[in-house]
Amino acid sequence: MTSLTSPLLLSPSSSSPLKNPNSPSVFSLSLIRARRTLIINMAASSNDDVAVPPPSQKSPKLVTFLGKGGSGKTTSTIFAAQHYAIAGLKTCLVVHSQDPTAEYLLNCKIGSSPTTCNDNLSAVRLETTKMLLEPLNRLKQADARLNMTQGVLEGVVGEELGVLPGMDSIFSALALERLVGFFGNAAQRKNQKDKFDIIVYDGVSSEETIRMFGATSKARLYLKYLRNLAEKTDLGRLAGPSLLRLVDEGIGLSNKNSNLNGKMSSEIWDDLEQILERGSSVFADPCRFGCYLVMDPNSPTSLNCALRYWGCAIQAGAQVSGAFGIESPNSCAKLAETVKKTFMPLPCASIPHISMGAPVKWNEIVPNIVNRDAHDLLTGPTSDKSGITCTVKFDPASKSVTLLMPGFDKSEIKLYQYRGGSELLVEAGDQRRVIRLPSQIQGRVGGARFVDRSLIITMR
C-alpha cells in the first residue's frame, strides 16, 4: 500500500509588413491564407494516410475562450465565429447560456437546433433540460434489446426530470463530442446531418469550461479504480460487462458495427480506456483545439483573472493558444504592451470594441485590416508543434522539473508523491495534475522554488 507524503509548501525564491494596407484585396488574401492554413492543420491532425479530403470531412476544430465575466468573452467568441465563416469555413457557434447577448450581437434568434445566421455560420443554444431526453431514450432502446431492467427503465418519464447541479457540464461535453468527435467515432460523424469545420463554444462559465478540459483525463483515473472493482470482486465480475454494454449502446461511444457484444471484460475496459485517451489528447493538440484568454486591458482584475485561468487550463491538461485584449475607446499602445508582457510567451492580439447601440455590422468589423494580428492568432499554428507553449520541462543534468504555473502564488501550490518517485501530483487552482517523471530524474522531491511564474522542482 502506498502512502501520501505531507504537502510540500514552496519556499520563496530568489511578419512582414503589408505593401498596401488600404487595399481591399489584402484582407481577401489574408482570409485565403487563413483558410488554407486551417485546412492543412485539420488534415495534419487526422490519422488518415490517404489523400486529404475537403475540410468538412475532417475532424472539426474546437475553439473556446476563457475570461472574467464582463471582460468580453461572448464578444470574442462571436468575433471568432464570424472570422472563420468569412474565411469560408463552415462554422457553428455553440452557446450554453440563457444570456441573450449572443442573439443581439448576431442579430439572429438562436434555437436548440443549428440556425443559419449568415453564410457559413450557424448557431445553436444548448438546453440541458431538452438534452436529458436523448440519452435516456437511447438507454431505453438499449434496455429493450438487452432486457436488463425488466421494463423498469421504460417507465421513467423523461419530461418529469429536471437539471441537477453538474449536469450542464456533462451534457455540454456530450453535445460537443457529437459535433467535434473527441472520442474518434468516425461512424458517428459520418452520419451527422450537419457537418462543420469549426465549432466555437461559449460555455456556462470559464470554470465549467476548464472542468470540461480535464474531464476525460480525470475520468481515466476513475475508470482504473472501477476496473479494479469490476475485475477483483464477485459482484463486479457478474454485473460489470452487462452494465458497460448498456451504457455503451445507450450513449453510443462505439459504432453500431463494432459494439461490445461478445467481447471479454478486459477488452471492454481497454476499449473505454482508449476512448478516453483519445478524448484527452484533443485538448493538447493546437490543430484540433484552440483556447484563448480574454481580458479588459484597462482592468487589473480582468488581467489577473485571465492569468489565473491560464494556469488552471494548464492544470486541467489543456493547451492555451493565445490571449486577446478587448480594445476600448480610450485604449492606448501602452496597455497593449502591458498585455503582451503579462502573458509572454503567449501570442497576443486585440479585438475591437463593439458598440451595443446599433446592430453590429460584422462584414465591416471583421475585415478591418487593423485586426490582422487577431486574424493571424485565430488562424492558428502552421504545424502541430509551432503553437505549443511548453508547460513541463525535464532537465536530467540538474535532475529538476520546471512547471509553468501562471496566476498562482507559491502558497497555493502543493506537491504529493505516490508510488515511489515515478510521478508527482501537483495541486493548484482546484485542479490536480499527475506529472510522470522520466527514469533519469525519478526520486524524492528535494526542494522547490517559484521563479518567473514557473515552479522549479529539484529531485534527489
Side-chain angles (χ1 to χ4, degrees):
M1 180 179 295
T2 59
S3 61
L4 174 66
T5 65
S6 299
L8 176 63
L9 299 180
L10 305 182
S11 57
S13 69
S14 48
S15 63
S16 63
L18 297 176
K19 294 181 180 180
N20 184 9
N22 295 320
S23 171
S25 63
V26 172
F27 183 70
S28 300
L29 292 173
S30 178
L31 288 182
I32 292 172
R33 184 172 63 252
R35 186 171 189 270
R36 185 188 302 119
T37 301
L38 286 164
I39 291 172
I40 292 172
N41 289 346
M42 288 186 288
S45 66
S46 171
N47 294 324
D48 298 336
D49 294 325
V50 297
V52 177
S56 60
Q57 298 180 26
K58 309 307 297 181
S59 298
K61 180 176 181 177
L62 175 65
V63 175
T64 191
F65 293 81
L66 303 175
K68 184 180 182 297
S71 63
K73 187 164 66 75
T74 298
T75 299
S76 303
T77 301
I78 296 176
F79 179 89
Q82 294 284 2
H83 160 80
Y84 294 121
I86 292 176
L89 294 164
K90 195 170 182 183
T91 305
C92 182
L93 172 66
V94 179
V95 179
H96 199 171
S97 169
Q98 291 301 309
D99 186 341
T101 301
E103 292 182 336
Y104 177 83
L105 291 173
L106 287 172
N107 194 26
C108 172
K109 188 69 175 177
I110 303 176
S112 57
S113 58
T115 302
T116 301
C117 298
N118 48 261
D119 291 344
N120 296 319
L121 178 59
S122 300
V124 61
R125 187 185 303 280
L126 301 182
E127 296 182 347
T128 308
T129 302
K130 295 178 180 178
M131 291 191 291
L132 275 170
L133 300 177
E134 183 180 353
L136 176 60
N137 289 335
R138 288 186 178 183
L139 284 173
K140 288 182 178 181
Q141 293 170 6
D143 185 55
R145 294 191 297 271
L146 302 174
N147 194 30
M148 290 183 59
T149 68
Q150 287 78 50
V152 173
L153 193 58
E154 182 61 33
V156 177
V157 180
E159 288 74 10
E160 293 179 341
L161 302 178
V163 179
L164 299 176
M167 284 186 173
D168 288 322
S169 296
I170 294 172
F171 282 91
S172 285
L174 292 175
L176 291 174
E177 199 287 322
R178 287 196 295 271
L179 291 168
V180 179
F182 295 133
F183 301 138
N185 192 340
Q188 188 181 63
R189 292 198 304 272
K190 185 177 180 181
N191 294 328
Q192 282 181 350
K193 179 181 178 182
D194 299 300
K195 295 183 175 67
F196 299 100
D197 303 316
I198 302 287
I199 306 298
V200 184
Y201 176 64
D202 188 17
V204 176
S205 68
S206 294
E207 286 84 357
E208 290 296 319
T209 302
I210 290 171
R211 289 289 186 207
M212 187 176 64
F213 296 165
T216 49
S217 61
K218 303 300 184 292
R220 292 174 67 187
L221 293 173
Y222 283 94
L223 185 70
K224 180 180 72 172
Y225 293 119
L226 287 173
R227 180 172 187 171
N228 286 338
L229 287 173
E231 293 182 341
K232 296 178 180 179
T233 65
D234 293 336
L235 179 61
R237 285 190 290 268
L238 178 65
S242 298
L243 291 174
L244 284 172
R245 185 181 172 195
L246 174 65
V247 172
D248 179 82
E249 289 202 18
I251 298 179
L253 294 179
S254 300
N255 63 62
K256 295 180 179 179
N257 295 324
S258 60
N259 58 32
L260 303 177
N261 190 22
K263 288 191 175 183
M264 299 294 291
S265 179
S266 60
E267 293 179 284
I268 296 174
W269 291 107
D270 289 341
D271 284 348
L272 292 176
E273 167 67 19
Q274 292 172 10
I275 288 169
L276 292 175
E277 184 177 2
R278 288 196 297 269
S280 60
S281 67
V282 169
F283 296 105
D285 182 356
C287 295
R288 292 203 59 196
F289 175 68
C291 176
Y292 300 93
L293 305 172
V294 183
M295 81 255 4
D296 176 3
N298 293 288
S299 170
T301 303
S302 180
L303 287 169
N304 291 333
C305 191
L307 200 61
R308 180 80 168 199
Y309 285 144
W310 183 14
C312 291
I314 292 173
Q315 275 288 96
Q319 181 69 216
V320 175
S321 303
F324 285 99
I326 304 297
E327 294 179 350
S328 62
N330 59 347
S331 293
C332 62
K334 185 177 180 180
L335 288 175
E337 289 302 317
T338 299
V339 171
K340 290 181 179 180
K341 183 178 179 180
T342 303
F343 292 92
M344 287 181 61
L346 288 181
C348 298
S350 296
I351 290 178
H353 173 73
I354 306 298
S355 174
M356 297 293 184
V360 182
K361 298 180 180 179
W362 291 105
N363 287 334
E364 297 178 5
I365 294 173
V366 173
N368 190 336
I369 199 63
V370 175
N371 304 322
R372 184 186 177 193
D373 287 346
H375 298 307
D376 291 344
L377 184 50
L378 288 171
T379 298
T382 56
S383 72
D384 59 349
K385 300 294 184 183
S386 61
I388 295 180
T389 300
C390 185
T391 60
V392 182
K393 295 180 181 178
F394 300 108
D395 186 353
S398 61
K399 206 172 183 182
S400 65
V401 185
T402 302
L403 306 178
L404 178 63
M405 304 199 67
F408 295 116
D409 182 82
K410 59 182 179 294
S411 63
E412 299 175 295
I413 304 173
K414 295 180 181 179
L415 301 178
Y416 300 88
Q417 282 194 286
Y418 296 88
R419 303 175 183 87
S422 62
E423 62 185 34
L424 286 171
L425 189 148
V426 184
E427 181 179 312
D430 201 21
Q431 300 277 347
R432 294 191 180 105
R433 175 172 52 147
V434 175
I435 308 294
R436 289 177 173 81
L437 303 175
S439 58
Q440 304 95 315
I441 60 175
Q442 288 183 2
R444 290 292 179 183
V445 173
R449 54 198 172 95
F450 209 76
V451 180
D452 295 332
R453 298 181 302 186
S454 292
L455 175 63
I456 303 175
I457 306 165
T458 304
M459 310 300 295
R460 57 178 172 83

